[in-house]
Amino acid sequence: MIRRRPLVAFFSLAMGLSWLLWLPYVLSNSGLGVLDFDYPKVLGLTQLVGVMPGAYAGPLSAAFLVTAIAEGRPGLRAWRRRLTHWRVGWRWYLAVLVGVPAALLVSALVVPGAWAGIAVPSVMALAVYLPLLAVQMVTTAAAEEPGWRDYALPRLQRRYGPVQGTVVLGVMWGVSHLLLFLTKWGGGPGVAWWHPVVFVATCVPLSLVMTWLFNRTSRGLPLIMVFHASINNTMSVVWTSVFPGVHPEYGPTLATSVAASVGAAAVLLATRGRLGMSVAEVDEIPAERASTAEHRSKVPALV
């Protein structure tokens, strides 16, 4: 069954494994409070202990298992090559390290009251930015991106094309986090309904920008991990220091959504919807769809 429908297997395992290990956190005092116990705090938060097991057990484990079963060692070698493809040019890393914080801070123009109380970032925020970026690389980017971008994105692009495939991935990526909005991670358990909706919607334009970066750098996953970690780190470390008067949930959510939408519109227009794929690669997609359909028709159904 996994060999026949590897993408369905991947998304099912990625969400199922994550949600299974997040369930105790949701039921604990950090979530719904159904079970009267507290997770230990690390760096002042329970999220590291409560969220990380599910994050690593989800997309990362699903990608490894499905690749090993459906494609064997050749598939695992290709997966590993993308995962360790660091050499994409220092300018790309500089653009991400500088451009992501700049875009997120400038997008605060649309947040009511943000610029009225703007402040210079504290010395502490600047001092811990790079160390915490390294932490974000390990705790968040390394847990998610080997699955979502390294495994799922190439296959979705081959089947549906760069834009449609990325939209599917963006929605699934966002939906996979919904359970966490019942916990302190997402401002829960009493979080407003619009917060998870905007989160899922923002994952789509963010994914379009990440797909463009992924394709333009010959599928270099480490750059995507730096991009992902930079977003989280900017919002958790720099944002509250620069805009202390803005609501800590409303402001970052709106600013990220605006920055992602503008960036997605820019890459869609600049690439005419190819998102960094060559014309030849885009032209091959209909043939790939036909080949996939023919292959499935020859696989005996499991009854």
Side-chain angles (χ1 to χ4, degrees), residues 73-163:
R73 290 184 178 180
L76 287 174
R77 283 195 293 268
W79 182 57
R80 186 186 62 212
R81 279 196 299 270
R82 291 191 297 271
L83 184 59
T84 58
H85 182 37
W86 285 92
R87 297 181 180 180
V88 299
W90 64 268
R91 292 179 180 84
W92 285 104
Y93 288 103
L94 180 63
V96 167
L97 289 171
V98 176
V100 168
L104 292 173
L105 294 176
V106 170
S107 65
L109 282 168
V110 303
V111 179
W115 288 89
I118 190 171
V120 177
S122 66
V123 175
M124 178 60 70
L126 295 176
V128 302
Y129 183 82
L130 288 179
L132 289 181
L133 179 66
V135 173
Q136 288 280 1
M137 285 283 290
V138 175
T139 59
T140 303
E144 294 194 45
E145 297 309 333
W148 303 126
R149 242 60 58 172
D150 195 347
Y151 177 82
L153 180 57
R155 291 157 180 81
L156 286 169
Q157 286 194 110
R158 286 201 303 267
R159 182 178 300 181
Y160 301 114
V163 175

Side-chain angles (χ1 to χ4, degrees), residues 20-31 35-42 44-54 183-184:
L20 181 65
L21 291 184
W22 285 339
L23 189 59
Y25 188 62
V26 172
L27 298 177
S28 74
N29 290 328
S30 295
L35 302 177
D36 187 19
F37 73 93
D38 296 292
Y39 275 77
K41 291 185 177 181
V42 177
L45 300 170
T46 60
Q47 298 173 16
L48 195 63
V49 178
V51 176
M52 285 313 302
T183 72
K184 291 181 179 179

Side-chain angles (χ1 to χ4, degrees), residues 65 70 83 97 111 132 136 154 161 186 195 215 219 254 266 288 296:
L65 290 171
L83 184 59
L97 289 171
V111 179
L132 289 181
Q136 288 280 1
H195 199 167
N215 290 334
R219 300 180 176 181
L254 181 57
E288 178 69 25
R296 285 183 178 172

Side-chain angles (χ1 to χ4, degrees), residues 25-26 30-32 178-191:
Y25 188 62
V26 172
S30 295
L32 299 175
L178 288 183
L179 195 65
L180 290 176
F181 282 93
L182 298 174
T183 72
K184 291 181 179 179
W185 178 93
V191 66

Side-chain angles (χ1 to χ4, degrees), residues 156-232:
L156 286 169
Q157 286 194 110
R158 286 201 303 267
R159 182 178 300 181
Y160 301 114
V163 175
Q164 188 177 347
T166 299
V167 170
V168 172
L169 179 60
V171 171
M172 299 300 286
W173 179 33
V175 168
S176 70
H177 291 76
L178 288 183
L179 195 65
L180 290 176
F181 282 93
L182 298 174
T183 72
K184 291 181 179 179
W185 178 93
V191 66
W193 66 268
W194 59 265
H195 199 167
V197 172
V198 172
F199 178 86
V200 174
T202 302
C203 284
V204 174
L206 264 181
S207 294
L208 290 168
V209 176
M210 294 167 83
T211 294
W212 173 73
L213 285 171
F214 185 74
N215 290 334
R216 284 287 286 114
T217 56
S218 301
R219 300 180 176 181
L221 192 72
L223 180 70
I224 302 301
M225 293 168 59
V226 173
F227 181 89
H228 188 161
S230 295
I231 295 172
N232 292 3

